[in-house]
């Protein structure tokens, strides 16, 4: 009987029988206080308004991996665009209405011989304009340190077992560049249009910890 | 000094304080210039807002896992690329 709770202590449970979750009642950290102080000063001194700050947060939240997937699908269907993308990633993305801002984008192509994977060992550099905010694991020390030491084991834990004859090429984003993996177009997608192809391209495939599947 | 694509370079084994963009695990290792990314302001100085910020040439340097990890390499032929500023590089045959 799944809801037979007679032997259990109901203290700390909601009326529906689920545990209460604590709210953020802990004191503010130093960096939370600094963020609030800087934000209030920017408003007080007329540098930015609250509405402008909220708009900027909304703009940042609106960036999702769909942008990156659209770029990949275009590269799969338009060889001239793919050539431009590999030559100058920033210019090709600007052409598609997804500028990379001040940073430069390097697109690395997976082939039957080479599989690429992106990491930032120093912090969490990530092509946010194309993929949105990075996943938590991308920022954690386990992924950041292990990907340069034992990339095959890490990929295997993501469910990606590479053949022994494929070379793994790790890219550590240590400075001003941002990286995007151009995965191989899966077999069996010959008749698909750009929108259908884009739906196959996951965030993880563009980081290099997965490959697109039909 | 300017390095050519394909040239062998060694990362200096130094440990300056501050906002350093050269990973510790690559210092002292030898790689090949993969591409020249041109000049930009040195982030090690930019981070502190100094008045006189030097321009540095940025390269992508390619290493083998054998070079980086030695006998511990998961697969010695796998590769790793990182972006390194020129003041961290010296020719691989430098004494």
């Amino acid at each position: 009987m799944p809801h037979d709770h007679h032997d259990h202590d109901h203290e700390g449970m909601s009326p529906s029988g689920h545990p209460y979750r604590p709210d953020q009642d802990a004191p503010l950290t130093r960096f939370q206080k600094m963020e609030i102080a800087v934000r209030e000063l920017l408003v007080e001194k007329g540098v930015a308004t609250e509405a402008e700050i909220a708009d900027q947060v909304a703009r940042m939240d609106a960036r999702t991996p769909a942008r990156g997937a659209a770029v990949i699908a275009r590269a799969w269907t338009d060889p001239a665009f793919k050539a431009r993308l590999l030559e100058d990633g920033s210019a090709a993305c600007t052409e598609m209405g997804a500028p990379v801002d001040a940073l430069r984008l390097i697109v690395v192509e997976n082939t039957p011989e080479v599989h690429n994977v992106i990491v930032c060992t120093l912090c969490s550099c990530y092509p946010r304009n194309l993929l949105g905010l990075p996943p938590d694991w991308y920022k954690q020390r386990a992924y950041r340190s292990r990907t340069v030491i034992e990339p095959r084991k890490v990929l295997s834990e993501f469910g990606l077992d590479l053949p022994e004859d494929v070379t793994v090429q790790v890219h550590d984003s240590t400075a001003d560049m941002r990286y995007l993996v151009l995965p191989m177009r899966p077999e069996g997608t010959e008749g698909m249009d750009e929108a259908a192809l884009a739906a196959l391209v996951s965030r993880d495939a563009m980081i290099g910890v997965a490959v697109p599947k039909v | 000094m300017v390095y050519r694509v394909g040239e062998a370079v060694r990362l200096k084994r130094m440990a300056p304080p501050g906002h350093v963009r050269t990973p510790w695990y690559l210092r002292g290792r030898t790689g090949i210039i993969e591409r020249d990314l041109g000049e930009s302001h040195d982030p090690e100085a930019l981070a502190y807002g100094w008045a006189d910020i030097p321009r540095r040439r940025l390269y992508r340097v390619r290493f083998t896992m054998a070079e980086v990890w030695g006998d511990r390499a998961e697969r010695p032929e796998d590769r790793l690329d990182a972006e390194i500023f020129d003041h961290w590089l010296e020719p691989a045959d430098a004494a």
Side-chain angles (χ1 to χ4, degrees):
Chain A
M1 283 174 36
H3 278 86
D4 185 3
H5 287 179
H6 293 296
D7 296 335
H8 295 234
D9 184 357
H10 282 235
E11 204 172 320
M13 295 292 194
S14 72
S16 58
H18 295 280
Y20 286 111
R21 293 184 60 179
D23 205 335
Q24 293 177 317
D25 294 324
L28 294 172
T29 65
R30 170 180 158 76
F31 287 105
Q32 285 172 319
K33 284 182 200 155
M34 280 168 57
E35 182 274 319
I36 294 167
V38 169
R39 177 157 43 84
E40 288 180 352
L41 278 168
L42 288 171
V43 172
E44 208 175 292
K45 295 189 178 296
V47 178
T49 66
E50 279 108 338
E52 284 169 343
I53 294 169
D55 283 350
Q56 184 60 28
V57 171
R59 253 197 303 282
M60 290 167 81
D61 280 348
R63 300 182 299 190
T64 74
R67 283 195 184 179
V71 171
I72 300 302
R74 174 75 54 88
W76 282 349
T77 52
D78 180 345
F81 177 79
K82 176 179 157 180
R84 293 198 295 281
L85 186 67
L86 293 172
E87 174 68 28
D88 184 343
S90 302
C93 289
T94 302
E95 181 190 322
M96 279 196 70
V100 192
D101 303 329
L103 299 157
R104 280 161 60 191
L105 182 76
I106 292 180
V107 178
V108 289
E109 183 184 17
N110 283 350
T111 67
E113 292 81 35
V114 178
H115 179 87
N116 295 280
V117 60
I118 312 302
V119 63
C120 174
T121 54
L122 296 176
C123 45
S124 58
C125 297
Y126 191 74
R128 293 174 184 226
N129 70 308
L130 293 171
L131 300 185
L133 293 174
D136 284 346
W137 53 258
Y138 187 85
K139 299 183 277 186
Q140 284 165 354
R141 277 192 288 273
Y143 178 79
R144 286 160 45 205
S145 57
R146 291 185 57 218
T147 301
V148 297
I149 299 171
E150 45 181 16
R152 286 170 186 271
K153 189 148 186 285
V154 170
L155 294 177
S156 175
E157 289 169 23
F158 276 96
L160 180 60
D161 289 298
L162 292 170
E164 186 60 27
D165 61 346
V166 171
T167 297
V168 173
Q169 171 71 58
V170 179
H171 301 269
D172 189 354
S173 338
T174 42
D176 291 4
M177 304 295 134
R178 296 293 176 270
Y179 294 88
L180 188 76
V181 174
L182 170 56
M184 284 191 286
R185 180 172 173 167
E187 284 177 27
T189 59
E190 290 71 20
M192 293 171 90
D193 65 11
E194 254 184 75
L197 287 168
L200 301 177
V201 184
S202 68
R203 173 197 72 195
D204 287 3
M206 292 180 278
I207 301 173
V209 296
V211 294
K213 291 196 179 71
V214 182
Chain B
M1 96 177 258
V2 176
Y3 297 98
R4 298 180 314 277
V5 171
E7 198 170 344
V9 289
R10 186 168 59 229
L11 271 62
K12 292 178 186 169
R13 204 186 272 278
M14 52 186 189
H19 182 72
V20 170
R21 303 304 301 172
T22 301
W24 186 272
Y25 73 96
L26 293 174
R27 298 182 196 178
R29 303 298 182 201
T30 297
I32 300 291
I33 299 286
E34 191 266 345
R35 69 179 88 172
D36 180 341
L37 296 163
E39 284 193 348
S40 55
H41 290 295
D42 181 3
E44 293 176 13
L46 209 56
Y48 300 99
W50 294 348
D52 206 11
I53 296 168
R55 290 181 73 79
R56 307 282 192 198
R57 190 167 283 276
L58 182 64
Y59 295 96
R60 263 162 66 79
V61 182
R62 176 162 293 177
F63 305 86
T64 63
M65 289 298 192
E67 168 65 14
V68 178
W69 304 115
D71 293 343
R72 295 162 56 212
E74 186 183 43
R75 181 175 177 274
E77 305 79 23
D78 285 342
R79 303 190 298 241
L80 183 135
D81 287 7
E83 297 150 48
I84 308 293
F85 285 94
D86 59 4
H87 61 299
W88 277 90
L89 299 174
E90 58 190 3
D93 55 11

